Each structure stands twice: as C-alpha cells, then as structure tokens.
Amino acid sequence: MGSGSAQHRNHINLFREALGQSPDLIIREMKISNTVPAAILYMDGLVDVQSLHDFVIKPLMSVKFKDLNVVLPSKQNLLELLVEEVLGAGEMEISGNSEELIKHLLSGNAILLLEEKRDCIRIKVAGLEERNVTEPLTQSVVRGPMEAFTENSQTNIALIRRKIKDPNLWLESSSIGNVTQTKVSILYISSIASDKVLNEVRARLKKINIDGILESGYIEEFIQDKTYTPFPTVYNSERPDTIAAGLLEGRVAIVVDGTPFVLLVPGLFIHFFQSSEDYAQRSDISSLIRLMRYLAFCIALFAPSLYIAITTFHQEMLPTSLLINLASQREGVPFPAFIEALLMEVTYEILREAGVRMPRTVGQAVSIVGTLVIGQAAVQAGIISAVMVIIVSITAISSYVMPSGSMSISVRMLRFIFMGLAASFGIFGILIGIFGLIFHLCNLSSFGIPYMSPLAPFIAQDQKDTLFRLPWPRLLTRPLLVNKKNIKRQKQVK
Amino acid sequence: MNNGKISVQQMAILVLLVVIGDSILIAPSLVAHFAKEDAWISGLLGVVLGTLLAGLIYFLSRLHPHATLVQFNRTLLGKWMGGIMSSLFLLYFLLNAAAMTREIGDFITTQIMPETPLRAIHLLLVILLMWALYSGIETIARTAELLFPWFVIFFVVLLICLAPKIEIDRLLPIMGHGFMPILQGSIYVIVFPYAELTVFLMLFPLVTRNKHTNRDFILATALGGIAITAVILICILVLGPYITAHQTYPTYALAKKISIGGFLERVEAFLAIIWIISIFFKTILYAYAFLTGFSQLFHLRNERILLMPSAFLFFGLAYAISPNIIYYDYFLTNYWPLWDFTYALVIPLVLMIVHLFRRKKRAHSV
C-alpha cells in the first residue's frame, strides 16, 4: 500500500469497513503536488469514469502548489483551495459527517480524503447506465408528444421542466426508505397549487417509515386517503405532458427515483377517463370519445351481470326471436348462466395474466390456444353458448378503453361482485349494487377533495372539462375544487 | 356519520326525492280510487295545499334555525315533555323507515321476483341502508346528486315513450262526480309526499344556507308534486281510471305498456329504477333522522354504535309491520294519513303555539 500516515490509513479503512470490504469500492491513492497524500474513493459503476478522470483525477495530479499564488497552503484551507481552484466538477461539498458521506458515496459521489484532515470533499460525478427516453408503453396516443419518463428521476424532472419554463415550478426532495434511500421529489407550480393539498402531501410523505421504496406504487398505497377501496385515488402516468397538464391544473406531482411512473394528486374519478390526447384532438371528437369511455366503463362493469340477469330473471325483455335463438343455443349448455359467465370470465383473466407474464416467444402459442379454446372449441363442446363468448369479448375489450390502467383494474374486480348480485337478485340486485358502488364512490376523497367532484358535489363551472371538453377558447378557468388560488387560465378575448 | 354540511342544491334534490318518494308508485291508484277521471285535478289541488303544508314545516324549522327537531323540543318543552315528544317523533321515523323498506320489498316480491323471499330483499336493502348511513349524510347527499340526473332521464323516458298510447277521451267527463271526490283524492297527494317532509326537521340545520334557500325549497316541493300529478295524469290517459284504481302499482303497469319499434319492450324492470331511487332515498333519510334523533336525545357521543342494533330493528320491523300486502294497503289507505297528519300538522301547530306563548311570556317578563 502506498504512502501516508497511520491516521490516513485508518480514515480510508473506516469507509472500507463500513461497506464490508466490498471490492466494488475503488480507492485511488495519490500525492497532490508530490507532497500531500490523498485518496479518492468511489463505487465502481455508479460514477462516470470519464468525468471522474477529466475533472477530478487529472487536475489533482497536475496541480503544483507553486503555480498557485499561495506557496504552501496552510493546512486548514487546503480543502477550500482545492474546491475553489482545482477541481472541475459541478456539485461538490466539504463535509465531515461520515454517515452522510457514505450515503453520498452510494449515490454516485466520489470522495476525496486528504491526510491529516477529518473533513472530506464529496464530488458528484454520478453516471449510471440508463434507458433512453422512449415512447410511452402504457398510455399511447395517436396525436401528442411521444416521449415517456425513464427510471432516472433527474431526467424525469428535466422532461417536465422542459415543458413548463416557469420559475414558480418548485421542487422539494427528500429520501424515503431507511435502506433504499430512494429520492422522492414533490413538484408543483407554487403560484397555482393549492396549499392545503401541498401540506397534506408533505405530511403524508413524512409519515412513511419503511425499509424500501422500489416503485411509486409503494408511495401511492401509503398516501391514499382510504386504504381499502378498489378505486385508485392517486393518478399515475409515464407521460410528461400528462403530468405537466396536471401541474397546470394546480395538482401536485410526486416523482420517485427508479420508476417511470410519476404520481399526480389529487386523483379524482374523472381524471382516469381523461387522456392527454383529448386536449390535442378537436373538442367535438374528444367529447364523444370521452363519453364512449364512460360507456365502455359501464359495459366492462355490467355486461356479464346484465346477461345473467336478463337470461335468468327477465327473459321478457328480449325480443322473441332473439330469445328463441338464445334458448336454442343454451339448450345443450349444462350450467346456469352465472356459472357459464364465471367460467368464461375467469378463463379470460387467466389468459390475460399469462399473456402479460410469459416470455414473448411463447406468446403466440398461448394466443392460439386461447382463441381456439375460447372461441370455438368451448362452444362446439357445448360447455358455453356462443353469446357468452361475445359478452366476454366485449367486456374484455371495453375494459381496455380506459386511458388509465388503474381504473380498468377496479372494473375487473367489481365485475364479479355484480355477477353474483345479478345471479341472485336479477336487475334489482344490480341496482342495489350500483347504489352501493355510488355510495362508496361518493364517500371517497383524494387529498380532501371529494372523489366524484365535480359531478357530486355538482360544480357547474367545471362541467366544461368533465364529461365533455369544450374548445380551448372556452376553457377559461382551472378546475375549481382542486384550485382556489389562481383560477384564470387565460385572459378573455373580447 | 359526522355532522356534515349539505348544500342548498343537494337539499333541493333530497326534498324532491322525498316528495316523489313512494307516491310515484302508489298515489295514482289511491287518488283514482276516489276521484276517478278527475284524479289529475286532485293532484293539482294537492300540490297547492301540500306546498302550504311544506311551508308550515319549513316555517317551524326557521323558528330555531340551528336546532334539529329533538334539540328544539328540548328547549321548547323542557327535558321531560320534550323527551316524550321527541320519542314520539323517533317512533314515527322508525316506523316510516321500516314501512318504506317493506314497500320496496312488497313491490319486488309481488311484481318482479315472486319467488324470492321477502326477507332476502329486506336483508339486501338493510345492508345497503347501513352502508349509506355509515358513509354519512354528506355522502348520502352527494349520491343523491349523482343519481338525480338518471332519475330525471328515466322519468322523462317513461313519460315520452307512453305518448303514443295516450287517449284524451279518458279524461272525460271532467268534474262528473262533483267536488267532494276530488278533495278526498287530494288528501293522498298531500299526505304521502308533503306531510312526510317532516323528516327534514332533522336535516335543515345541516344546510349551508344561501339567499335562494327558501325559494329552492318551495320550488322543489312544488316540482315534486307536479311530477306526481304528471304520473297520475298519464296513468289516467293511458290506463284509464278503472285500471289505475285497481292496480296496486299503476306506474309499473304503465312501464309495461312501453314498446318502441317492436324490439324495446317490457323494460319495466329498468324503469323501476325511478321509484327505487326515490323510495330508497326517503328510507335513508328517515333512518338517518331516527339515528341522529336517538343519539341527540340520549346525548350519545358516537352515533355509529347505533348502526348495528338499528339494522336489526329495521330488518325485523320491516317484516313484522304487516302480515301481508293486503293488510298493508288497507292500513296505508285508511289510517296512515291520520298518523302522518298528526306529525306534520297537529304537533307542529302545537309546537308553534307553545313557541309563541313562551315568547310572549318572555317579552312580558323582560
């Protein structure tokens, strides 16, 4: 081992032992200006070696104290001198807190130790292998920006800042997770965002005390208003434009390092039916498509249960010829409609789950089996009726119309409850189920804001962008309930 | 069940739902029984007189705007007399809630699902009732707000789809039986929709008032009455007075008549959503009034402990209140109006006189 006093060795060993003699802790020892022994510590793979070399190692190696104005710097200000005149990197700090330093070491900092100094310099030279900004995989659009967030929260914040160039776009960062030390940032436009929601977000984030945060879903479950509900009360998106639009409405974004899914609160029921494309397309077609989404929501939720109710209890509702057709199809089917529907819905859910998890290469095999088994063989074998196949298909397709995946998950779960109610009480059962569901929805809130607003409580002014979207020149104000501070979106043109 | 606030708009919707309540289903037959072809005139007369009654109830609540009926009774009549009076009202709320649960149950078991046991329907309803009460009055009001557009849409669909079946001749002769039957018929338009607004004496203090509160209340009561009159009128126009009078649920019989293009037929099970919404909300408000009234009478800190016991009470009482539907109808026609008038007209008048008397006495003593 190189030169240096025993004290210097101990100092280096302190770091080495804290990391359990891990071989990926690289220790580069050197002598600054041939006189002061020093060591640079960094984690292999967490730093960008090129910039470490160019801006840290090279200047340190080539510096001669006699070139600087001071002849031989006094021991106290050597660190300051290095920071001020020698090192070329951007973010650095002098610190003596070894726990803090180890945290920084593990998040991509290099640490410079000097002999006879307790304090060290940490230099941010993080450089991680990361994914490029690509097209969004979950919320794709025909017209609109084609970029999505990545796993790096800095990149994500930059993507949002590129859309909102306003000094009032403020950021508050903290690290959550005792072990993972994940960086979680709150992002909001201070001149618009509601202070009530903001304080609530801060308070709820502060309460989290867990060993690790690996995805924004962890945060979501901690900060939602009600834990036991099938409905999402926190919005998530991997689209920077969606998040930017939310910020402009006065909502608060939560960016979690390590995931492309950024959270947006408050997340109300109607938000899960809005797509960023609604605002890019013309208002007439966007309004119609939005209405269609609500229709699809109802189909996905009620189609199987209505089929069960009508075929079991209310046959009189069907036109006679259709009823005869149906009856002849169901003649050979051994199960009651409820069991038939349950069988098919569960089969579909299994196929769907398999489709998501399995390796791409076997995907085709499963889809062929699925199509043949469900589409034809099951009908021919007389296990189910052909109408049931149609019902299951329309249900499955409708549940993917929702622009946000979180809402289709709720629908998939609730569908089975409604099927049970329909099987035992017919349309009356479905009606009671709807009442119960609406009571639950109206009881929910997201960060203190009623979940069903602006439908219940009804706010006439916000109807312009709820079920319909009026043309942009008519969208004069921001949503009223989320936002009371800065209502005006545009100056009215006379 | 925290004491939430409800907006004037939500109050108006709840008032409208309570006014329409079970009357939409049973009033046509009761009114047509007496007034025959002139049932619609009874309806109009009922709206006028009923709105006056609603005004009286509203006026009573304005004497002590921040007190519910139970608190009002206590300040006015003292601890013991007030307590007895409040208990009477609680009994009224309880019986009304149970009777209306029974009404839905009877309707479902006689018309839609004859093979389902009555108690199974009651169980489902009581579970839903508790679910609603557990969520609190704010949630109840919001739910009413969310369901109201559907209520209106289905109601308008019902009226419009029946337009082709209307025969104006069925209204003739106008006033052929004199005025007395019309007056007799109008009692049923006053009593079930308007007298049962008494439940709002427990709710008015929760309303966040604005300058339209008085107007909106009266408007909602009048509109509700007009909706009932419209149903009575269309029953007479489509079914004729004889069938209307002899059906238990003439509105349901109306919905069966709908036929559009030969494929949309027999949609009555869907249209039943109209009265199930209105009756159910009336039931909820009565159950809410019972629970809050009870907890205010006995100064309970947490109303939620009452949920489970009252669920059993509602479930049992809904079944026990009448041995069968014939008995229930007989009771409803002959005795229930008197029971309702006692609580909506007689007792409020007594309370008002006591209030005036006390104020005068206080004015003298000062």
Side-chain angles (χ1 to χ4, degrees), chain A residues 306 313-314 316-317 319 421 425-428 431-432 435-436 438-440 442-443 450 452 455-458, chain B residues 9 108 112-113 121 124-125 128 131-132 135 139 142-143 145-147 263 265-266 269-270 273 276-277 280 284:
Chain A
L306 274 180
F313 292 96
H314 312 280
E316 77 275 2
M317 273 185 206
L421 280 171
F425 291 98
I427 286 197
F428 175 69
L431 199 59
I432 294 293
F435 280 9
I438 293 181
F439 274 116
H440 179 66
C442 288
N443 197 20
M452 291 311 278
L455 296 169
F458 187 82
Chain B
Q9 190 178 303
I108 299 288
I112 303 183
M113 297 197 298
I121 306 281
L124 207 60
L125 284 169
L128 189 61
W131 179 246
S135 314
T139 304
R142 275 185 221 144
T143 310
E145 215 173 3
L146 204 62
L147 285 172
F263 74 97
E265 283 177 338
R266 301 294 308 276
F270 276 112
I273 191 174
I276 292 179
I277 288 179
F280 189 64
I284 290 177

Side-chain angles (χ1 to χ4, degrees), chain A residues 139 163 165 181 234 238 267 346 382 401 414 473:
Chain A
Q139 297 170 313
K163 292 196 185 292
K165 300 171 196 74
Q181 297 292 338
V234 176
E238 57 164 350
V346 170
V401 172
L414 291 171

